[in-house]
Amino acid sequence: MSIRHGLLALLERGPRYGSRLRTEFEARTGSTWPLNIGQVYTTLARLERDGLVVQQGADEAGHVLYALTDAGRAELRSWFIRPVERSNLPRDELAIKLAMAVGAPGTDVRAIVEAQRRYLSEAMHTYTRLRARALSEAPAHRDEVARLFVLEHLIFRAEAEIRWLDHCEARLLRLAEAAATEPPPPSPPPA
């Protein structure tokens, strides 16, 4: 998630101070991606340096308010219409773990797959329960719809990862079956 662009989107509604941006970001994303307040202010400083936001006075409590510039609005519009590239993906710890476990002697790869499947099933149950609760309240506000988008993304992502784990397990079974029926390699000739 681009914190930078997320903050720009929140500032489009009007000037905000850092901790309010943090609260609104977490509310909009269903609290699935908590932000450190230091990260918010560091990002705001970079946005200000880049001419995308400006400080616009302070509120009654003395909080410094930040507002979008025209360049910030243009950057936000550009971000909204640009597809999210999936070619430069971050390293996935689970894929790396399984790739390494397959070649590690004495490692039960199926146990790793099963543990991850159990974890994902529990997470999916939690996300589904949160989605059901959100739907029972008939989402009427954009922030509630945004929260549903995030929850549903997490559900679909967990489902996809479970399907991938099922595929990995099936491949491991086929490999084990092939190894069991394969004749042993010939002994080297005596020297």
Side-chain angles (χ1 to χ4, degrees):
M1 169 70 188
S2 172
I3 305 304
R4 172 184 175 96
H5 291 100
L7 295 181
L8 289 175
L10 293 170
L11 286 169
E12 189 172 39
R13 291 181 163 187
R16 305 273 194 278
Y17 55 90
S19 59
R20 181 172 174 194
L21 286 166
R22 175 183 172 215
T23 301
E24 289 182 13
F25 182 93
E26 289 178 359
R28 183 83 56 91
T29 60
S31 299
T32 54
W33 293 299
L35 288 181
N36 176 302
I37 193 64
Q39 184 180 17
V40 171
Y41 281 108
T42 300
T43 303
L44 285 169
R46 288 184 187 132
L47 291 169
E48 187 175 18
R49 177 200 66 201
D50 296 343
L52 303 177
V53 302
V54 292
Q55 290 186 23
Q56 194 175 63
D59 67 5
E60 319 75 55
H63 300 113
V64 175
L65 297 172
Y66 293 85
L68 271 183
T69 63
D70 289 339
R73 241 177 233 91
E75 173 61 24
L76 180 61
R77 294 287 164 247
S78 174
W79 180 62
F80 280 146
I81 62 171
R82 251 187 343 258
V84 175
E85 292 183 24
R86 299 290 189 201
S87 59
N88 193 12
L89 296 175
R91 291 180 184 97
D92 183 280
E93 184 178 352
L94 178 60
I96 293 169
K97 181 188 285 190
L98 290 179
M100 296 301 139
V102 166
T107 302
D108 185 352
V109 181
R110 289 183 64 199
I112 296 169
V113 167
E114 187 52 39
Q116 187 69 24
R117 186 184 293 116
R118 239 184 345 271
Y119 166 79
L120 288 167
S121 294
E122 291 168 8
M124 199 163 52
H125 179 72
T126 300
Y127 302 146
T128 302
R129 192 174 58 250
L130 290 170
R131 179 181 65 176
R133 188 177 319 139
L135 287 171
S136 72
E137 298 164 3
H141 191 270
R142 288 180 183 267
D143 287 348
E144 294 163 352
V145 172
R147 183 170 179 248
L148 278 171
F149 282 170
V150 172
L151 287 170
E152 289 167 342
H153 176 261
L154 293 171
I155 291 167
F156 293 143
R157 199 161 136 187
E159 288 174 344
E161 194 163 292
I162 288 171
R163 282 195 317 271
W164 177 70
L165 289 170
D166 292 345
H167 171 79
C168 290
E169 187 172 48
R171 184 172 302 283
L172 288 169
L173 288 171
R174 285 192 303 274
L175 181 65
E177 289 169 1
T181 60
E182 201 172 277
S187 301

